[in-house]
Amino acid sequence: MAEKRRTREDLKRERELQKKKQKKPVGSWVKRILLTLVIIGVVGLIGGAGLFAVYASSAPELDEELLKDPVSSEFYDKNGEIFASIGVESRKYVNYEDIPEEMVDAILATEDVRFFDHFGIDIWRLGSAVVANITQGFGSQGASTITQQVVKNSFLSNDKKLKRKAQEAWLAIQLERHYEKEEIFEMYFNKILMSGRIYGFGTASEYFFGKEPSELELDEMALLAGIPQSPNRYNPYKNPERAQQRRDLVLDLMVQHGKITEEEAAAAKEIDVTSRLLAEEDRQTVAGTKYDAFLDVVLSELEEKGDGEALAEGIKVYTTLDPSAQTAVESIMNNPENFPTEEIQSGVSVVDTKTGEIVAIGGGRNYGADRGFNFAHDLTTRSPGSTIKPLLDYGPAFENLKWSTGETISDVEMTYSNSKQVITNWDNKYLGDMTVREALYTSRNVPAVKTLQEVGISEAEKFINKLGIETESVFESDAIGGGDITMSPIEMSAAYAAFGNKGIYTEPTAIKEVEYRDGSKKSYSSKPEVAMEDSTAYMVTDILRDVVSSKPGASGTAAAVSGLDIAGKTGTTNYAADEFDKFDLPASSVPDSWFAGYTTNYSIAIWSGYSTRGEPITTWDERRLPQHLFSAIMSEISADVETADFDRPNSVVEATIEVNTSPLRLASEYTPNHLRQTELFVKGTEPTQVSETYEQKELNAPTNLQANYSVDGGLVDLSWEYTPSEEDDVDINFELSMAVDNEEPVVISTTPNSQASISNIEPGRNYTFTVVAVSDDVRSEPATVSIYIEDEIEEPEIDSPENPEDPENGEGNEDNGNGNGNNGNENNGNGNNGNENNGNENGNNDENDNGNDTGDTGENQDFEDWFGPGEEGEVETPAEPTDPTETEQ
């Protein structure tokens, strides 16, 4: 149990009595002097007692206000403007007498078990630390007591330099002389950083459990006692498993130091950490900043690099934040119209392609100051799916095997090396031989596994490790993102940035520099490292351009941004067979969807899915969400920024190959077009031999080409004969060209038939028709015929004489005064029989001629519609007449 604690009144009375005493007992002074001498002796082993005295003399004065209240830390964006200040938030202050005994026991067992016995410095811990520092290097192990932590967090910078440690020791002794143990413990209890903007155990008690410290159960006290060592790592909302392990360790320490029994510890360990936590909707609201998701990453980085405790000291943190990019990300992430469902989540990381600096973070939809799960930083257990293929498969192949982007690889059914499990593709099909370019941009699984096998596990692991992805082991299933390798969006965006930065990788960081209270500074800038040859980086990039193109099979078309040179890769993970039964999932379910893409300015990685693995993605809208978010974000942040295209380095050359040759051969002049492809090679590895697979083909020329003009139809009917050679085993088409007078010939149609009708023929012009047999790129000699279309000649009209002489019709008959020529019948006054109606220009024959002309025009129009050129120059053939007795089946 803890030492018996005194009330405030007891403490005041004791201090007044001490002031009245002129002398302290000799024994007490002797003890203190001896202990001080021991300390000086230990410090003297490191730097000398004289140096210790100099350092101690320059220590700041104790200030009660600084001792009790957290000191604000400030955060600046890349422009030097402050965007956040933490440490001044309201907090729950708890007096010592209101702290439960078991809470004190838990903290002391974890942080400083001899707190009530030492005078500010724990000699035993100090001795152990000295030995460790001598054997393992200075700063390898600390020996800070609770008193020293209060001093450090109030007055000193968080470094491990000898001057600071000497001052810390001296001020700890002074603090113990001026304040009682209970007061010092109370300072620590209310001042220590617990998580993000949460300071003090009282505030943490309300935030995590919604309780006063006096209401806490043993397991809850142990959980809180374990947090200060690493507030981010042991935050139960962010990392419940780690928090539970840490809680159990605190319980074991309490047993070890006799604070609780083993039975009590065992009972407390049975309680699940998450069952005690407040639900998100009941959580106490914490004052936030404009950029909470980014600040969360900054705080995590401070802790990961050993400066987490420095936050309580009042430091200045200069970050890589681009406020305009961060604003754009948050605006897009917080707009519900950008998401297909209400619950689907996303994590976004935007890094500078050239420097690796993190410029913006999307921690989740409507991410707040409570520092919940940050899907950009904390998502470390989700597999990357096919986004791993450039990192683990094809990148290493270009680097180590010097493959071309046109290397032939086969997509056929296969199993893993040590398994009977069949590797399938997303469409459950196998497409045979293809280039690695096609295999990667269409995201085929079998070629990816084959590529990893060709590279070798060891070389692949070395390659991906250089891109900041740490792996304990690599399996063949990792080739398609289905193994043990996991990564966060931040890690993925930094890895892909190396492809866009000519093979240079820079560890992602959100901090440029930290300035401590004493004016000293620490740089957080990462050192660029060569991860791969620039040829490898460019060849991967060039293929990943195709992913966002409109090529058939391209999987990332929705991520494209007009006017930007973008490369990227999609990724989708799968459920295991037993998970479909476990979670009762539809067959189309997948747990994760990814997209990673980059320009020469920015590299962005986006994950989408649901908070728990059992909630599946089931629609294509959900699967494509990362692509749509990428396009929106990249478009927004690149709007006012000049973005250069990816530049092909001198180490890479192009060559036009014949696809699927092995080894690769240059395409010959006879290689069919569909097998000709321009691909990239590492300079000096391009092929020099020309393929001899295809020889020159010769096609027989068409013969007996004839052209007949139809006056009535206004058409030229062409016909020809074609006799294929014995070697011809190809489809033959005939290309028709026409030249009018002396004009250049024009291709008018292509047909598989040996006849055609050409309309719109004008009289008075000379037409030359040419027919060529064509198969792929092979053409025959032409057959040619010319025809001149003469102008139509109109026959002149002949007028009939007024008095035609016809001996057979009463020639000279003077009695036929009416000119009717009635066979000399003088009594036929009506002249009907002799009426020259054959010569009547207005008679029926003329009317019939007019009718025939009209009919001809109609027939010509129909004929032209049937036989005239169709779409794209094709000659159309009239349909056969329909038998009215037939019915449609």
Side-chain angles (χ1 to χ4, degrees):
M1 300 298 291
E3 298 288 337
K4 184 177 180 180
R5 294 170 294 158
R6 292 156 285 181
T7 65
R8 288 282 187 189
E9 294 301 321
D10 293 336
L11 295 173
K12 288 181 180 179
R13 284 195 294 270
E14 290 180 8
R15 281 199 295 272
E16 290 174 358
L17 290 173
Q18 288 174 358
K19 290 179 182 178
K20 293 178 181 179
K21 293 180 181 178
Q22 298 297 322
K23 296 182 180 180
K24 290 189 176 183
V26 175
S28 174
W29 275 108
V30 171
K31 180 179 179 181
R32 291 177 180 269
I33 291 172
L34 288 175
L35 290 175
T36 302
L37 290 175
V38 171
I39 294 171
I40 294 174
V42 172
V43 175
L45 294 175
I46 302 174
L51 186 60
F52 174 81
V54 172
Y55 287 157
S57 65
S58 62
E61 297 291 330
L62 295 178
D63 185 321
E64 184 169 356
E65 182 177 347
L66 293 176
L67 286 168
K68 291 185 176 181
D69 296 326
V71 182
S72 177
S73 289
E74 297 175 341
F75 298 82
Y76 298 82
D77 62 27
K78 72 171 189 175
N79 303 317
E81 300 292 331
I82 188 169
F83 71 89
S85 179
I86 67 172
V88 295
E89 293 84 359
S90 60
R91 57 196 168 99
K92 177 75 174 180
Y93 195 93
V94 182
N95 294 322
Y96 180 78
E97 52 264 30
D98 296 325
I99 304 173
E101 252 183 67
E102 281 188 325
M103 186 84 232
V104 177
D105 293 339
I107 294 172
L108 295 183
T110 307
E111 295 290 336
D112 188 359
V113 71
R114 286 180 286 273
F115 173 73
F116 281 101
D117 298 324
H118 63 62
F119 60 97
I121 299 172
D122 189 335
I123 299 300
W124 300 110
R125 290 181 67 185
L126 181 61
S128 174
V130 169
V131 173
N133 288 330
I134 292 174
T135 58
Q136 303 173 28
F138 183 72
S140 60
Q141 179 177 321
S144 294
T145 62
I146 283 179
T147 310
Q148 288 174 282
Q149 291 185 54
V150 171
V151 167
K152 179 181 65 176
N153 292 341
S154 302
F155 306 106
L156 303 172
S157 62
N158 188 44
D159 59 49
K160 295 182 178 180
K161 294 180 180 178
L162 183 59
K163 178 179 180 181
R164 203 273 294 165
K165 297 302 290 185
Q167 291 178 339
E168 179 185 297
W170 175 254
L171 289 176
I173 296 172
Q174 297 304 308
L175 186 61
E176 292 271 355
R177 289 183 62 190
H178 289 82
Y179 294 91
E180 298 299 327
K181 289 286 187 181
E182 291 81 0
E183 291 179 296
I184 296 172
F185 188 90
E186 183 180 305
M187 294 173 186
Y188 172 83
F189 190 86
N190 290 290
K191 187 182 183 71
I192 196 69
L193 176 66
M194 297 296 290
S195 177
R197 302 165 183 79
I198 309 298
Y199 285 86
F201 285 92
T203 310
S205 178
E206 285 191 348
Y207 177 70
F208 290 116
F209 305 115
K211 298 179 179 180
E212 297 286 340
S214 59
E215 300 172 326
L216 295 174
E217 301 292 338
L218 174 60
D219 63 290
E220 296 167 330
M221 296 178 188
L223 174 66
L224 294 179
I227 288 178
Q229 186 186 72
S230 184
N232 184 67
R233 182 180 179 84
Y234 299 130
N235 181 321
Y237 284 127
K238 296 169 70 69
N239 301 301
E241 292 183 3
R242 290 176 179 172
Q244 187 150 324
Q245 292 172 355
R246 177 67 176 168
R247 179 205 66 183
D248 293 348
L249 176 60
V250 172
L251 292 169
D252 290 338
L253 290 172
M254 293 180 73
V255 172
Q256 177 182 330
H257 296 299
K259 304 300 183 181
I260 59 174
T261 66
E262 291 186 0
E263 290 74 18
E264 289 173 317
K269 289 180 182 180
E270 290 295 321
I271 300 172
D272 182 73
V273 161
T274 58
S275 68
R276 295 290 204 183
L277 299 175
L278 277 178
E280 183 175 357
E281 59 271 18
D282 299 327
R283 220 174 293 169
Q284 177 184 347
T285 302
V286 180
T289 68
K290 290 185 294 185
Y291 312 122
D292 290 305
F294 187 91
L295 182 59
D296 180 55
V297 174
V298 172
L299 297 175
S300 296
E301 188 173 341
L302 284 170
E303 190 171 310
E304 290 164 4
K305 295 188 176 181
D307 273 329
E309 295 180 359
L311 287 169
E313 304 169 9
I315 59 176
K316 294 181 178 180
V317 183
Y318 296 91
T319 76
T320 60
L321 171 70
D322 182 337
S324 60
Q326 183 67 35
T327 299
V329 170
E330 291 186 3
S331 175
I332 291 168
M333 291 288 287
N334 295 341
N335 185 349
E337 294 183 0
N338 293 326
F339 294 83
T341 69
E342 292 183 2
E343 300 299 326
I344 196 168
Q345 272 289 2
S346 289
V348 179
S349 171
V350 184
V351 305
D352 187 301
T353 303
K354 300 178 183 67
T355 67
E357 294 179 344
I358 302 171
V359 298
I361 289 292
R365 299 172 65 177
N366 300 302
Y367 191 88
D370 55 6
R371 294 197 74 200
F373 194 88
N374 189 318
F375 289 100
H377 178 272
D378 301 330
L379 191 79
T380 57
T381 59
R382 298 292 184 110
S383 298
S386 291
T387 54
I388 202 173
K389 290 175 180 176
L391 308 173
L392 191 68
D393 309 331
Y394 297 101
F398 296 140
E399 182 79 2
N400 296 284
L401 304 178
K402 303 306 177 187
W403 275 7
S404 160
T405 57
E407 183 75 20
T408 302
I409 198 159
S410 186
D411 181 21
V412 295
E413 183 175 331
M414 65 175 288
T415 63
Y416 292 109
S417 297
N418 300 315
S419 169
K420 294 182 180 180
Q421 181 181 347
V422 175
I423 303 167
T424 59
N425 292 304
W426 64 270
D427 56 0
N428 294 315
K429 297 179 181 178
Y430 301 98
L431 304 182
D433 288 346
M434 61 179 58
T435 63
V436 294
R437 175 185 293 277
E438 183 181 359
L440 177 52
Y441 91 74
T442 59
S443 204
R444 310 302 292 177
N445 285 341
V446 171
V449 176
K450 284 190 172 183
T451 300
L452 177 60
Q453 290 175 340
E454 290 288 330
V455 171
I457 296 295
S458 177
E459 292 301 323
E461 186 172 2
K462 290 177 184 177
F463 187 89
I464 198 171
N465 286 347
K466 289 181 181 180
L467 296 174
I469 310 301
E470 297 182 0
T471 60
E472 295 182 0
S473 56
V474 174
F475 302 97
E476 288 183 358
S477 56
D478 283 309
I480 56 177
D484 292 339
I485 297 178
T486 60
M487 62 187 79
S488 69
I490 291 177
E491 293 172 320
M492 185 179 291
S493 60
Y496 268 75
F499 293 128
N501 193 32
K502 301 180 180 179
I504 306 299
Y505 170 77
T506 307
E507 182 182 358
T509 178
I511 304 173
K512 291 183 177 180
E513 186 178 70
V514 171
E515 182 178 343
Y516 302 100
R517 291 187 63 195
D518 61 1
S520 62
K521 297 179 180 180
K522 176 181 177 181
S523 173
Y524 270 62
S525 297
S526 300
K527 180 182 178 182
E529 301 285 349
V530 177
M532 70 191 85
E533 298 289 339
D534 59 358
S535 57
T536 299
Y538 184 77
M539 291 165 78
V540 169
T541 295
D542 194 56
I543 296 177
L544 297 188
R545 282 166 157 167
D546 292 343
V547 172
V548 297
S549 72
S550 57
K551 284 187 173 183
S555 58
T557 304
V561 179
S562 178
L564 289 182
D565 191 4
I566 293 174
K569 184 70 186 76
T570 57
T572 305
T573 63
N574 295 315
Y575 285 107
D578 60 339
E579 288 182 304
F580 282 93
D581 293 331
K582 177 181 178 182
F583 300 126
D584 190 24
L585 301 173
S588 62
S589 300
V590 298
D592 311 286
S593 183
W594 292 84
F595 185 81
Y598 53 96
T599 65
T600 52
N601 289 335
Y602 301 109
S603 178
I604 304 176
I606 301 178
W607 167 90
S608 291
Y610 291 86
S611 299
T612 59
R613 186 174 174 83
E615 295 179 83
I617 291 172
T618 58
T619 67
W620 280 106
D621 283 343
E622 292 168 286
R623 289 196 186 197
R624 294 193 181 104
L625 175 59
Q627 296 182 50
H628 291 297
L629 292 177
F630 174 91
S631 180
I633 292 170
M634 184 65 85
S635 177
E636 182 73 18
I637 66 178
S638 301
D640 299 321
V641 180
E642 183 177 350
T643 304
D645 290 346
F646 298 109
D647 184 29
R648 176 160 61 91
N650 294 331
S651 58
V652 176
V653 296
E654 292 181 342
T656 301
I657 62 164
E658 185 174 292
V659 174
N660 296 341
T661 50
S662 183
L664 288 177
R665 295 284 188 266
L666 295 173
S668 70
E669 59 181 310
Y670 312 119
T671 301
N673 274 342
H674 71 280
L675 293 179
R676 300 172 67 91
Q677 204 157 295
T678 300
E679 295 292 351
L680 303 178
F681 294 82
V682 177
K683 190 174 184 179
T685 66
E686 65 272 22
T688 57
Q689 295 185 1
V690 178
S691 172
E692 298 179 355
T693 303
Y694 296 90
E695 299 178 353
Q696 182 177 9
K697 291 181 180 178
E698 293 186 0
L699 298 178
N700 291 336
T703 59
N704 196 25
L705 175 61
Q706 297 183 11
N708 297 305
Y709 177 65
S710 172
V711 176
D712 291 338
L715 301 174
V716 170
D717 293 323
L718 296 176
S719 64
W720 60 91
E721 297 177 359
Y722 183 77
T723 304
S725 64
E726 295 181 359
E727 292 79 13
D728 287 352
D729 187 19
V730 292
D731 293 330
I732 303 294
N733 287 299
F734 299 97
E735 180 183 278
L736 279 66
S737 300
M738 179 177 72
V740 181
D741 296 332
N742 295 322
E743 296 176 359
E744 291 293 323
V746 176
V747 175
I748 56 175
S749 68
T750 301
T751 177
N753 303 316
S754 57
Q755 60 185 10
S757 294
I758 312 302
S759 62
N760 300 323
I761 299 300
E762 299 179 14
R765 308 191 73 173
N766 187 70
Y767 290 86
T768 300
F769 298 97
T770 302
V771 178
V772 176
V774 178
S775 177
D776 290 329
D777 294 334
V778 182
R779 301 168 63 84
S780 72
E781 291 295 320
T784 303
V785 65
S786 295
I787 183 172
Y788 178 76
I789 310 300
E790 295 183 355
D791 286 328
E792 295 181 1
I793 300 176
E794 296 183 3
E795 295 183 2
E797 296 182 356
I798 301 175
D799 294 334
S800 299
E802 293 183 359
N803 298 307
E805 295 182 359
D806 188 351
E808 296 180 0
N809 290 298
E811 180 179 9
N813 188 346
E814 296 179 358
D815 295 335
N816 192 0
N818 59 9
N820 289 334
N822 189 19
N823 293 325
N825 188 348
E826 295 178 358
N827 297 322
N828 190 354
N830 59 17
N832 286 338
N833 291 334
N835 193 345
E836 298 177 0
N837 39 2
N838 284 339
N840 189 345
E841 294 179 1
N842 295 319
N844 291 334
N845 285 343
D846 281 340
E847 291 177 2
N848 291 338
D849 288 344
N850 289 339
N852 289 339
D853 289 344
T854 304
D856 288 347
T857 302
E859 290 174 0
N860 290 347
Q861 183 64 46
D862 292 342
F863 203 64
E864 183 174 310
D865 286 347
W866 286 355
F867 286 88
E871 293 183 3
E872 299 182 359
E874 294 183 359
V875 175
E876 297 182 354
T877 304
E880 292 292 331
T882 302
D883 187 338
T885 62
E886 294 179 351
T887 58
E888 188 174 331
Q889 299 296 318

